[in-house]
Each structure stands twice: as structure tokens, then as C-alpha cells.
Amino acid sequence: RAWMRGVIRQHLIRVACVCALIALVFAAPCALTGCFGMTQPPQVAAYVNGVAIEEDDVTEFIEDFRGKNAQYETDSAWAEFLKSNGYTLETLRSYVLDTVFIPQELIRQKCAELGIQIGDTDLDDVIRQEKEYYERRYGENSWDSVLASYGYDEESWRENELNRLLEEQLRSMVIDAVAPTEAEVQAQANESASTYNGKDTYYITFASQQDAQEARSRLAASGERVTLGEFERIGDAVHAGWNSLPANRDVMGGEYIQAANALEVGTVSEPVYADGAWTLIFCDAAFNVGAGGESVVLATMPREIYDQIVIDATEAKADQLFDEWLRGLAAESDIQIEPMPSGLPYNVSATYVE
């Protein structure tokens, strides 16, 4: 169940619209168009203050999750997934409605009530910046491939970002600034500090691979381990920071991160071609804690990683408060969930779910 919750939660953080629509022909033509050639109205999964959530959207969401995991393609494997995670077909559908579609619709309605809007120009700017970021990392004209890898196209990504920005503005309006307590920071560190295991590095760029190799050879002549001062004497050293922190990773290439991870403290990499230049990387410090559950000593944590833990704890607390506010809004709203219809693609044979 926790694994499924993680997938659903990822969609919630992004306030995800239904994306990567899967073209599935799962009903007879008569059911789609009507026996007399008349188009039938869409089935409704739920109503939120009178606004309908279509059954097709819920189906596409669940089928998208299933389609991204090849191990769930067969009915028997899908049924086993449901059973092992404590779901029935009906409770899975209800869970998706309660955690994705109903909150999403409530957010839209509340934003309309409060006059919160995201202009086309602002949305264009956000998407342009995202496109530039990914094309710097993965190459020119890679944007469509990046979207496809996450199950989006241009249209669904645009709607996804619109929903995300609406939620951010609504949250900032209804939730006051929060500050985590020391106990909350400690709990966050115990839970997630291991995700920031990594190396603190400096680097120097060179005009050619030969220049970089010659500089490294001079360093190697003084011994296997070097100091930061010795490294700085061979060129203009730049502090890259911890390669495990999100802000730093955003500006490091994959080659740089991989090379840094392979270093021990006080050692220098072989020449690495990173971000268009030949580079030597020096490891200044390492951070390594267990996989969670133990008490992390905050006082011994590198400052940059501690600051990130505080940011994470602050975000977690704000998320919790907003979720509580949203549940209160739902309790005050007129929400009606319709019975689950038969014949849905993810509705596997009863033989498998018994």
C-alpha cells in the first residue's frame, strides 16, 4: 500500500491532471455511441458541489499507473497487486477519487471563489523555464522525450502545471507561514537524511584533457591524498557543494555527479568532460548516514544538509496543514460518489480477486 500511496502522492504534489491518456477500446461500439448512433453522455464517478468527475478520467488515471508497471499487465498480476496492498477494486477507485480527483476539483472551485488565477503568460514562462532546464541537461529538442518519459504530452503537462500553480497560490493564501519545531526537524532528519548521502566537492576546468591530466599528475606526485589548498594551487577552484542536494544537482551533469560519488575524501578524479569542459573534481568531505530509523545527530550534520532538512521539514508541515484544511473543505462540501460501473478495464475477473 505504501508504494501505491507514493505514486498517488506524487500526483497530488503536482496536483496532477489525468495524463498520458491510454487509447483503450474497452467497450462495444453500441456502448460508446448508443444502439441508434446517438452519443451517450459520459458516465460520472462523483459529483463535487454539483460538478461531475467523469468515470473515464478515473479509469485513465488507474490504467496509466498500471500501464507504467509491466508486472501488472495480466489480470492475475494486477489482482495480486490489489490484494497485497489491501485494496479491492472499489476501494482503489474510492482512494483515487478521495486523494486525487476530489481534492483537485475542490482546489479549482476554491481558487475560482477567491479570484486566484494563473495567466497564460505566467504559465508560458514557467513551462519555458522547465523546457530550457531539461534541454540543458538532456540535449536540444529533448523536451518531448522528457515529457513522454513521465507520461505527459504538451497539453497534459500544461494542465498539470496550471493545477500545481493554483494549489501553490491557494496554499499560500490559506496557510500561514510555518516553522518546524526542533522535534519535527529531528524526525525529518531521522527519516530522510540518508537521501542526502553524498560528497562535497570543488572543481577546476581546463582548456583540454591533456592540461587536466598534467595537472592531476602533478598532484599525484605529492601523494595519494591531497588537501584543498594543494588542489586550489593548480587552478581556479570552484566550490560545487554537496552533490546530493537538489539545488546543486540541478547544475551538475550526470558525469560530474557520478565521478564525485566515486571519490574518497582528499582525492581527485581523473579528467571528466562535464558541462562542456575538461574538469578535475576534488572531494572535500563526505556525508553518510544509515537508511533511516536511527537518531541522526543534528549538531554533527554539515550545515548545508541541515539547512535542506529544515526546508524539507517546513514543506512537510505546510503539506500536512494544507491537507488538513482541504479535508475540512471536503467535509463542508456536497460530495457524492457514484456506484462503480461494471466493465471497466481495471475491473479484473472476480476469479482473481477472491
Side-chain angles (χ1 to χ4, degrees):
R1 181 184 290 266
W3 194 78
M4 179 63 177
R5 281 202 304 266
V7 175
I8 299 298
R9 183 60 182 162
Q10 183 181 29
H11 282 268
L12 267 180
I13 290 173
R14 306 288 292 177
V15 197
C17 64
V18 176
C19 58
L21 303 183
I22 301 174
L24 295 171
V25 178
F26 56 84
C30 182
L32 292 175
T33 62
C35 295
F36 301 99
M38 301 293 291
T39 300
Q40 299 297 308
Q43 290 180 302
V44 175
Y47 291 95
V48 180
N49 296 320
V51 177
I53 295 173
E54 294 184 11
E55 193 72 56
D56 283 352
D57 289 344
V58 180
T59 295
E60 287 160 359
F61 183 97
I62 294 173
E63 284 292 281
D64 179 50
F65 163 73
R66 187 180 176 187
K68 288 177 180 176
N69 297 274
Q71 66 268 36
Y72 305 143
E73 287 182 355
T74 66
D75 283 355
S76 59
W78 176 238
E80 179 57 34
F81 163 78
L82 295 172
K83 181 179 178 181
S84 63
N85 286 276
Y87 290 109
T88 66
L89 297 164
E90 289 79 5
T91 59
L92 175 66
R93 173 178 176 268
S94 294
Y95 186 74
V96 170
L97 281 167
D98 289 341
T99 59
V100 179
F101 289 94
I102 291 173
Q104 176 178 283
E105 182 56 39
L106 288 170
I107 288 170
R108 288 172 176 168
Q109 292 179 15
K110 198 64 178 179
C111 284
E113 177 187 328
L114 297 174
I116 298 174
Q117 297 180 337
I118 305 297
D120 286 342
T121 301
D122 293 335
L123 185 57
D124 288 343
D125 287 343
V126 168
I127 294 175
R128 176 183 53 78
Q129 291 170 16
E130 292 170 338
K131 181 177 180 180
E132 290 175 353
Y133 165 75
Y134 280 108
E135 292 198 339
R136 281 197 305 271
R137 291 199 62 140
Y138 300 112
E140 195 173 349
N141 300 320
S142 62
W143 178 236
D144 289 342
S145 297
V146 169
L147 291 182
S149 70
Y150 289 105
Y152 291 91
D153 58 19
E154 286 274 5
E155 182 179 354
S156 61
W157 182 258
R158 185 177 182 85
E159 186 172 355
N160 178 77
E161 292 302 88
L162 173 61
N163 288 332
R164 179 181 66 82
L165 294 170
L166 285 173
E167 182 189 2
E168 285 182 356
Q169 292 216 15
L170 178 61
R171 189 174 74 166
S172 68
M173 181 176 290
V174 301
I175 301 299
D176 294 332
V178 298
T181 64
E182 184 176 345
E184 288 168 336
V185 173
Q186 182 70 66
Q188 185 71 34
N190 295 345
E191 179 181 347
S192 66
S194 63
T195 63
Y196 298 117
N197 287 344
K199 306 294 174 64
D200 183 56
T201 61
Y202 290 75
Y203 68 90
I204 300 172
T205 58
F206 297 86
S208 68
Q209 182 179 12
Q210 181 178 350
D211 290 345
Q213 188 62 62
E214 289 176 353
R216 190 185 187 284
S217 298
R218 292 197 301 272
L219 281 173
S222 62
E224 181 181 354
R225 307 281 178 174
V226 299
T227 66
L228 176 58
E230 290 172 325
F231 183 71
E232 289 176 326
R233 281 196 286 273
I234 67 170
D236 295 325
V238 178
H239 187 208
W242 292 92
N243 68 342
S244 52
L245 295 181
N248 295 339
R249 293 178 69 88
D250 283 348
V251 296
M252 295 176 179
E255 296 85 357
Y256 187 103
I257 293 171
Q258 184 176 2
N261 277 331
L263 293 174
E264 296 182 8
V265 176
T267 62
V268 179
S269 71
E270 294 290 339
V272 177
Y273 192 72
D275 199 24
W278 286 101
T279 305
L280 291 181
I281 304 169
F282 170 74
C283 178
D284 181 53
F287 178 71
N288 186 48
V289 298
E294 75 265 22
S295 182
V296 178
V297 181
L298 298 179
T300 63
M301 184 178 292
R303 184 68 196 187
E304 296 91 338
I305 293 177
Y306 173 81
D307 289 343
Q308 184 63 52
I309 296 295
V310 172
I311 291 171
D312 294 345
T314 303
E315 186 70 14
K317 188 169 186 176
D319 283 345
Q320 178 184 351
L321 291 173
F322 184 70
D323 287 346
E324 291 172 359
W325 178 88
L326 203 53
R327 284 195 295 271
L329 181 62
E332 299 169 357
S333 300
D334 179 14
I335 297 173
Q336 178 182 344
I337 296 180
E338 297 295 294
M340 179 176 174
S342 60
L344 297 175
Y346 61 89
N347 190 349
V348 298
S349 169
T351 302
Y352 295 113
V353 297
E354 291 178 348

